[in-house]
């Protein structure tokens, strides 16, 4: 997916120092962009778009960036002093994410040969400050990365932003289908879908379950056979209390559901979906002509999430969309991501933690080993039946969960750092799970999440930490708060109160 995108690099300069200086600036810039591309650290190709030496040139390149679909963000750097009034009109136009790279072509001062010519050419020390001033004065959202362009640390910060830019560009094209609406009476999964599209880009539609059933009914036995063969290759077959006959009947029903959902998503050009356990098609499962889901299509959700399709249970369209973006950012990382829910608390001396799970829908991307394909009874929802699911436990280590909530006047993105730990064996739990301790402690972490109005559902990843989400929120212009090792309840409450005032005063952000 990153191959479809470009990040543009624009170098600020001016003609005050003569044409020779601009030629040198241009050569340096090319070398720097090549250096970034060859570093292997930036997942999106950086394209050098030349020097901008006047207001007209700045405006032209910003407008071009807006109109180029491949361009998902702009990096600016001021090699020489670039008087910032010449950036005003361009920045007024810019609609793409901005990263200001405070760097310098030259690494160390050439002490022995240092002269005025050298100093006049290598002026980012104050050129970037002038540029920073106009961005701040114009309230331009951007990421400022400081460091030498060859340093891995600086490159990795650019890489974070590049992944976020890809997710923001993708979010703009996400269509989320709700198979059924969100669960009745639940507050946190509800919200303003019109505002959601304006602020975050995601388009959320209702899709009739009866139409999904039309697809379901057309799936052929041969198609089901082929998919079940895939399951056999990918998972450990584990037949328990259901017995063999019911097991394969339920696995086949799950495969049929998966094929139907895939087709709808493809035909509707959708990359996220939600389900609702109270809306599963045909009403009477005892009718001899019954044709519908035996339960929620959990196996399909687990597998589709692994391929990057956004998913939220109980009609949770916000988490479905956020998971899609998380998966985009997570592309190529060695560890996975998943939809999860805070299920059960574990008060234990020194290891108080929260068991993360769901009725069925946890992605095998976070599994420690080969998932087991099992069939068990699920007594929730309109159709209490045995149904297929993948069962596994998840990797241990540090991770971050994220959510977005609708506070009535604005969206708030909340992140929380967690430490995933080894659970004890749970032989009777027939679903996938993870066990984690919120940071900085269970008490502070869980308390802060509740004070922030967080959800019980979240989008979780080992690799995509709070920095990604902060960049994501910055670009979209929404509130972002993080709960981490430095959080104290006292300061966290102050931050919530301060943000309340900030967003009340900044109507444009609400
Ligand atoms: Mn749930």
């Amino acid at each position: 997916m990153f191959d479809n995108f470009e990040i543009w690099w624009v170098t600020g300069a001016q003609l005050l120092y003569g044409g020779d200086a601009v030629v040198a600036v241009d050569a340096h810039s090319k070398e720097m962009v090549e250096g970034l591309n060859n570093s292997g650290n930036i997942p999106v190709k950086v394209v050098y778009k030349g020097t901008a030496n006047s207001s007209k040139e700045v405006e032209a390149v910003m407008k071009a960036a807006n109109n180029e679909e491949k361009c998902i963000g702009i990096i600016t750097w001021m090699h020489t002093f670039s008087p910032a009034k010449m950036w005003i009109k361009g920045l007024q136009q810019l609609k793409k994410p901005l990263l200001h790279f405070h760097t310098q072509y030259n690494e160390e001062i050439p002490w022995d040969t240092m002269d005025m010519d050298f100093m006049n050419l290598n002026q980012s020390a104050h050129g970037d400050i002038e540029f920073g001033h106009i961005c701040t004065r114009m309230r331009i959202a951007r990421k400022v990365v400081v460091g030498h362009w060859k340093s891995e640390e600086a490159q990795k910060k650019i890489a974070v932003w590049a992944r976020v830019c890809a997710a923001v560009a993708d979010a703009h094209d996400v269509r989320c289908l709700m198979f059924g609406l969100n669960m009745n009476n639940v507050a946190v999964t509800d919200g303003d879908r019109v505002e959601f599209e304006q602020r975050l880009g995601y388009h959320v539609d209702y899709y009739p379950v009866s139409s999904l059933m039309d697809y379901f009914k057309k799936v052929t036995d041969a198609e089901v056979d082929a998919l079940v063969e895939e399951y056999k290759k990918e998972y450990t077959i584990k037949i328990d209390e259901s017995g063999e006959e019911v097991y394969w009947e339920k696995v086949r029903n799950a495969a049929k559901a998966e094929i139907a959902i895939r087709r709808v998503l493809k035909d509707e050009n959708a990359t996220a979906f939600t389900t609702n356990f109270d809306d599963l098609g045909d009403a009477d499962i005892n009718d001899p002509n019954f044709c519908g889901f035996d339960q929620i299509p959990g196996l399909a959700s687990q597998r589709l999430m692994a391929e990057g399709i956004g998913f939220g249970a109980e009609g949770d369209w916000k988490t479905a969309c956020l998971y899609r973006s998380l998966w985009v950012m997570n592309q190529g990382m060695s560890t996975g991501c998943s939809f999860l829910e805070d299920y059960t608390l574990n008060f234990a001396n020194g290891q108080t933690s929260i068991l993360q799970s769901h009725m069925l829908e946890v992605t095998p991307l976070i599994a420690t080993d080969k998932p087991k394909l099992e069939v068990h009874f699920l007594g929730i929802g309109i159709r209490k039946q045995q149904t297929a699911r993948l069962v596994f436990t998840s990797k241990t280590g540090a991770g971050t969960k994220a959510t977005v909530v609708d506070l009535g006047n604005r969206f708030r993105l909340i992140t929380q750092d967690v430490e995933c730990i080894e659970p004890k064996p749970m032989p009777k739990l027939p679903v996938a799970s993870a066990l984690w301790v919120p940071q900085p402690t269970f008490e502070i972490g869980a308390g802060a999440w509740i004070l922030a109005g967080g959800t019980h559902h979240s989008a979780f990843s080992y690799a995509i930490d709070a920095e990604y989400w902060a960049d994501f929120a910055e670009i979209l212009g929404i509130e972002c708060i993080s709960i981490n090792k430095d959080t104290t309840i006292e300061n966290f409450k102050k931050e919530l109160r301060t943000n309340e005032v900030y967003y009340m005063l900044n109507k444009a952000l609400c």
Side-chain angles (χ1 to χ4, degrees), residues 39-55:
S39 72
N41 287 327
I42 321 279
V44 180
K45 189 181 180 205
V46 185
V47 178
Y48 177 51
K49 299 306 279 191
T51 59
N53 303 303
S54 66
S55 182

Side-chain angles (χ1 to χ4, degrees), residues 143-198:
K143 179 168 188 157
V144 177
V145 174
V146 181
H148 192 254
W149 56 280
K150 285 181 182 165
S151 97
E152 198 172 9
E153 211 176 317
Q155 290 172 354
K156 285 193 167 165
K157 287 211 169 282
I158 295 173
V160 166
W161 175 82
R163 284 174 178 276
V164 173
C165 289
V168 169
D170 176 78
H172 183 269
D173 293 330
V174 166
R175 182 174 180 224
C176 175
L177 297 184
M178 300 178 72
F179 296 126
L181 269 177
N182 50 316
M183 185 180 164
N184 286 343
N185 288 316
V186 179
V188 80
T189 55
D190 220 328
D192 186 338
R193 284 185 271 151
V194 177
E195 195 68 16
F196 196 60
E197 181 161 345
Q198 287 185 61

Side-chain angles (χ1 to χ4, degrees), residues 223-475:
E223 287 165 341
V224 171
D225 290 343
L227 187 54
V228 170
E229 286 308 309
E230 267 185 53
Y231 294 170
K232 285 180 187 168
K233 277 184 216 143
E234 285 183 50
Y235 313 120
T236 303
I237 301 300
K238 187 166 180 284
I239 304 172
D240 293 309
E241 74 278 1
S242 66
E244 200 147 340
E245 195 182 327
V246 173
Y247 179 91
W248 290 114
E249 179 198 323
K250 296 298 180 183
V251 167
R252 291 180 65 80
N253 189 288
K256 200 169 169 181
E258 179 182 329
I259 293 164
I261 293 173
R262 276 182 193 281
R263 290 210 172 123
V264 172
L265 294 174
K266 188 162 178 273
D267 288 355
E268 297 295 321
N269 199 19
T271 48
F273 73 104
T274 68
T275 55
N276 184 326
F277 51 65
D278 278 331
D279 198 351
L280 299 173
D282 276 13
D284 185 5
I285 199 165
N286 296 315
D287 183 327
N289 296 320
F290 170 81
C291 184
F293 291 171
D294 55 27
Q295 241 296 6
I296 43 171
L299 181 61
S301 303
Q302 291 183 291
R303 286 170 48 82
L304 286 161
M305 265 193 280
E307 293 170 26
I309 298 296
F311 172 77
E314 293 94 56
D316 186 350
W317 44 274
K318 291 196 290 305
T319 306
C321 292
L322 208 63
Y323 173 79
R324 163 69 186 184
S325 296
L326 175 62
W327 180 86
V328 170
M329 291 190 260
N330 206 69
Q331 281 303 280
M333 298 288 192
S334 58
T335 49
C337 53
S338 182
F339 166 87
L340 282 170
E341 173 168 333
D342 292 300
Y343 237 87
T344 298
L345 300 177
N346 176 45
F347 286 102
N349 253 348
Q351 208 195 56
T352 293
S353 46
I354 311 173
L355 186 69
Q356 302 295 312
S357 189
H358 207 262
M359 285 180 282
L360 302 172
E361 307 95 336
V362 183
T363 334
L365 286 179
I366 62 170
T368 42
D369 46 22
K370 196 174 180 179
K372 295 189 280 284
L373 181 56
E374 302 187 17
V375 169
H376 300 284
F377 184 74
L378 175 59
I380 299 169
I382 197 168
R383 198 156 297 149
K384 297 166 180 52
Q385 288 286 319
Q386 304 210 56
T387 192
R389 79 283 307 272
L390 298 173
V391 182
F392 53 86
T393 54
S394 307
K395 299 177 189 96
T396 55
T400 301
K401 73 161 166 167
T403 190
V404 64
V405 292
D406 185 344
L407 292 180
N409 66 341
R410 67 184 188 275
F411 291 104
R412 167 181 284 164
L413 199 150
I414 312 165
T415 65
Q416 172 152 58
D417 292 347
V418 300
E419 185 67 28
C420 299
I421 59 173
E422 192 78 35
K424 290 183 183 174
M426 293 175 283
K428 302 274 187 197
L429 185 74
V431 283
S433 65
L435 184 70
W436 71 43
V437 185
Q439 301 299 299
T441 64
F442 165 78
E443 290 79 6
I444 295 171
W449 185 265
I450 287 172
L451 286 168
T455 45
H456 50 281
H457 291 158
S458 67
F460 165 79
S461 161
Y462 298 96
I464 303 303
D465 62 18
E467 185 183 349
Y468 291 83
W469 290 115
D471 285 357
F472 187 73
E474 177 84 23
I475 292 168

